[in-house]
Amino acid sequence: MNAPLAADTTPRNDWTREEIAALFALPFPELMFRAMTVHRRNFVSTEVQISTLLSIKTGGCPEDCAYCPQAAQYDTGVKAEKLMDVQAVLADAAKAKAAGASRFCMGAAWRSPKDKDLDAVCAMIEGVKAMGLESCVTLGMLTGPQANRLKDAGLDYYNHNLDTSPEYYPHIISTRIFTDRLETLENVRQAGLSVCCGGIVGMGESAQDRTGMIHALATLPSHPQSVPINALVQVEGTPAARATPLDPIDFVRTIAVARITMPASVVRLSAGRESMSAETQALSFLAGANSIFYGEKLLTTPNPQTDADKALFARLGLTSMPAKSASTNP
Ligand code: SAM
Ligand code: DTB
Ligand code: SF4
């Protein structure tokens, strides 16, 4: 495929699977050149948005996501805890800001939040915003009124991943269906929140499934403002941990195709960096990744040490993206 590059920067929602499969099949140098061109036309190519994650409600989740250490039914050593106290969350947010994060993301191991849980979550969002940080939460499935409540509390982003292709979804999760995810995303968009939505690779899915996942993301009614691409963190006790790890070049290809198909979105090199070489991460940044999770823990699993990330940024000449250009929130 050798279509002209000129059209590559205008966001399109009419990508076909064939077009996306053809991008994945490009010779690696050609794919990278296209991704780098699109990246430069939309962003400062050396700037990376920095988010820090905190698990505000850990473990004991009733869902059966095959990748997740927090699902109650897998024996992973993660202990179920109750929702954290608001002040403790805000103390962690202050530390994240001092360390250089521009966004604070709070995750809860819920299928969906109860209305009474949202009182505390709204207080957390208000506190995080008052510190001058962007806020993001991921709480599971949301109703329209719940999304509106979060918006009223000042929330910037809601994270809700499609995770994989519609076809592979039932092999990974049986306690909800793909269209449940689409419904929550619609509620989030209707509330005027920015959407953070991506997926996981390395779960034993096929190349066609990676095409299907990017296709599902790039043909949403509007592109998610933030697109996390997670490399599976293999956690013993979860069914997905038995999968053969993905070839790092195929991981980089997934980032590049996300960059080309969703040109104005911030693409996050998300979970999985702890077991990734500096070279794979560098290729991911070249392919157009321009966000990371920074801080020594993701939700329950390790992330690179902050000193190691500082050293990597210095080696690559990368700097952190100022909060304003990272946010497309109205
Ligand atoms: N319970 C909510 C939900 O599922 O939407 C929010 C929290 S859940 C842990 C957020 C996301 O973390 C999942 O959608 C999945 O993409 C990602 N995730 C969970 N376990 C992972 C793993 N082992 N490796 C990579 N990503 C993972
Ligand atoms: C996302 O796409 N990845 C993050 C965040 N959104 C919530 C979560 C990664 C979790 C990795 C496994 C863990 O630490 O429990
Ligand atoms: Fe629960 Fe979310 Fe983990 Fe699925 S990914 S088991 S919904 S915490």
Side-chain angles (χ1 to χ4, degrees):
M1 191 181 79
N2 236 339
L5 280 169
D8 286 355
T9 53
T10 318
R12 288 173 47 195
N13 299 68
D14 60 352
W15 290 95
T16 64
R17 273 207 183 214
E18 291 68 32
E19 284 176 304
I20 293 173
L23 288 171
F24 270 105
L26 281 171
F28 192 68
E30 178 63 17
L31 175 63
M32 291 296 278
F33 175 69
R34 284 170 179 249
M36 290 164 89
T37 305
V38 171
H39 190 191
R40 273 156 188 71
R41 288 189 183 157
N42 290 278
F43 295 96
V44 178
S45 65
T46 52
E47 284 184 358
V48 176
Q49 189 274 329
I50 307 286
S51 292
T52 292
L53 262 178
L54 176 68
S55 180
I56 58 169
K57 157 68 186 85
T58 303
C61 184
E63 301 277 73
D64 69 351
C65 312
Y67 47 78
C68 186
Q70 303 199 70
Q73 63 179 272
Y74 310 135
D75 189 6
T76 63
V78 171
K79 255 191 24 238
E81 290 168 19
K82 57 181 183 33
L83 182 61
M84 279 176 74
D85 173 71
V86 176
Q87 289 315 317
V89 171
L90 297 184
D92 276 0
K95 280 190 216 147
K97 184 179 160 85
S102 64
R103 189 178 309 162
F104 194 64
C105 308
M106 296 167 273
W110 287 322
R111 171 177 167 82
S112 50
K114 296 190 184 69
D115 285 340
K116 73 169 170 45
D117 296 324
L118 286 189
D119 296 339
V121 174
C122 288
M124 293 170 193
I125 293 166
E126 282 159 13
V128 165
K129 292 297 292 172
M131 287 175 203
L133 284 163
E134 292 177 336
S135 56
C136 177
V137 297
T138 179
L139 314 172
M141 294 186 276
L142 280 193
T143 63
Q146 289 179 325
N148 291 334
R149 269 192 78 187
L150 294 172
K151 175 72 181 169
D152 290 345
L155 183 67
D156 296 300
Y157 289 81
Y158 194 80
N159 166 249
H160 201 66
N161 292 334
L162 290 181
D163 280 333
T164 190
S165 67
E167 298 75 27
Y168 199 56
Y169 203 84
H171 297 272
I172 295 295
I173 299 152
S174 77
T175 47
R176 57 171 189 256
I177 56 172
F178 196 78
T179 50
D180 291 331
R181 299 302 267 188
L182 296 176
E183 208 173 288
T184 291
L185 290 170
E186 180 58 21
N187 292 337
V188 169
R189 265 191 307 273
Q190 289 297 329
L193 291 163
S194 289
V195 173
C196 172
C197 181
I200 312 179
V201 295
M203 300 192 292
E205 76 285 347
S206 65
Q208 289 76 12
D209 290 315
R210 288 188 287 282
T211 295
M213 178 182 88
I214 298 289
H215 180 254
L217 293 167
T219 56
L220 285 169
S222 51
H223 291 166
Q225 283 83 355
S226 173
V227 180
I229 304 293
N230 296 277
L232 176 71
V233 180
Q234 293 196 329
V235 178
E236 212 178 312
T238 59
R242 293 192 288 265
T244 308
L246 186 64
D247 173 356
I249 296 296
D250 286 333
F251 179 80
V252 175
R253 281 183 183 276
T254 310
I255 298 266
V257 176
R259 166 51 61 225
I260 294 167
T261 52
M262 293 170 276
S265 303
V266 169
V267 174
R268 183 171 306 116
L269 168 56
S270 194
R273 290 195 304 115
E274 171 69 354
S275 49
M276 222 176 253
S277 69
E279 291 80 3
T280 301
Q281 294 185 61
L283 278 177
S284 300
F285 292 126
L286 290 185
N290 59 350
S291 171
I292 58 162
F293 284 125
Y294 178 71
E296 280 142 32
K297 208 164 163 201
L298 291 165
L299 291 172
T300 65
T301 64
N303 199 38
Q305 299 288 310
T306 51
D307 284 351
D309 275 344
K310 280 188 194 144
L312 181 66
F313 271 42
R315 266 173 99 188
L316 301 178
L318 300 176
T319 57
S320 68
M321 189 186 286
K324 228 173 10 165
S325 62
S327 171
T328 47
N329 220 22

